[in-house]
Amino acid sequence: MNKVAQLFRHIHIHPLLWIVIAIAVATARFMEVCLMLVIVFVHEMGHAAAASFFSWRIKRITLLPFGGVAEMDEHGNRPLKEEAIVVLAGPIQHIWMLGAAFLLYRGTLIPEDIFLLFFQYNMMILLFNLFPVWPLDGGKLLFLLFSLKKPFPIAHRWALRVSFFFLTGFSLFVLFTSPYNLNVWIVSGFLYFSLYHEWKQRHFVFIRFLLERYYGKKESFRLLKPLQACKDDFLFDVLARFQRGCKHPIQITGQGMDKRMVDENELLHAYFSEKRVTDKIGDLFFTYS
């Protein structure tokens, strides 16, 4: 019960949402807005509840005029399976909501028009959130999919590129089928801005990933994946090969030297604590020999 109370303390309502509610009241659309808010709220609380179960650090749960977002203070170092559960915990809520609405309708507790409207909004929000565009749930799943095989920065870039491709395709479709749908263009504009901002911040996102890896929990790594590095490789180039959900012992090779193993935390320590950002791996080898 205490955890539930803590989740509610993280809820934040965007100021523009109050304006949307006021307009809905003035235009007799209050019921539609209430249904949308209930669906979005339950969806985001699904994410937050799963994150709380895994002891994630939740920053805030924000209800926006066109949706919601559950912000976590995590930076990609949780197990991939755990992250997938947190992402899918939002869309899963739509299944039981639809079932509950159907039972209420069959029990004559809600009229048919309300049920049909709830069904339409519920499916619309579910399908929209599964669209493979960052930062929607589908875009986050795309990032996780790329992370299974690719290093963090490559998986991140590919997730953003594929998101841009799908969003552009969707925008072209809307342009030819419903060019005057203002709501869709507002949401599309928000997604384009989010993609642009994430792309501009991609280097800092990667640095936060490394920092969390250095200072954060270490027991979450279950997969050991050694990396091969030449003594002439730069430190940052080796760090850029780090993968989510993997612990990386680094095997150093080079002409005129025996193979040596270096723990990944020694590289992270050299980069962040000793500020040896331009050193080569060979320089570190002599440091730690």
Side-chain angles (χ1 to χ4, degrees), residues 52-73:
S52 178
F53 176 80
F54 291 117
S55 299
W56 284 27
R57 296 162 298 185
I58 302 172
K59 292 175 65 176
R60 64 166 55 185
I61 305 164
T62 306
L63 299 179
L64 302 167
F66 44 80
V69 58
E71 300 178 64
M72 312 296 171
D73 193 17

Side-chain angles (χ1 to χ4, degrees), residues 205-235:
V205 170
F206 177 53
I207 294 299
R208 284 200 301 267
F209 163 74
L210 293 178
L211 276 170
E212 177 74 16
R213 197 180 185 97
Y214 181 42
Y215 292 108
K217 296 180 179 180
K218 304 296 188 298
E219 64 270 18
S220 60
F221 297 120
R222 297 182 180 179
L223 180 62
L224 196 66
K225 187 174 182 180
L227 295 179
Q228 302 289 333
C230 176
K231 68 174 185 177
D232 294 324
D233 291 340
F234 285 100
L235 171 59

Side-chain angles (χ1 to χ4, degrees), residues 96-121:
W96 75 260
M97 280 193 289
L98 184 58
F102 179 74
L103 292 177
L104 291 174
Y105 166 63
R106 294 289 291 180
T108 67
L109 296 176
I110 58 173
E112 182 178 7
D113 59 330
I114 296 297
F115 169 71
L116 292 177
L117 193 61
F118 184 85
F119 175 84
Q120 176 186 348
Y121 287 168

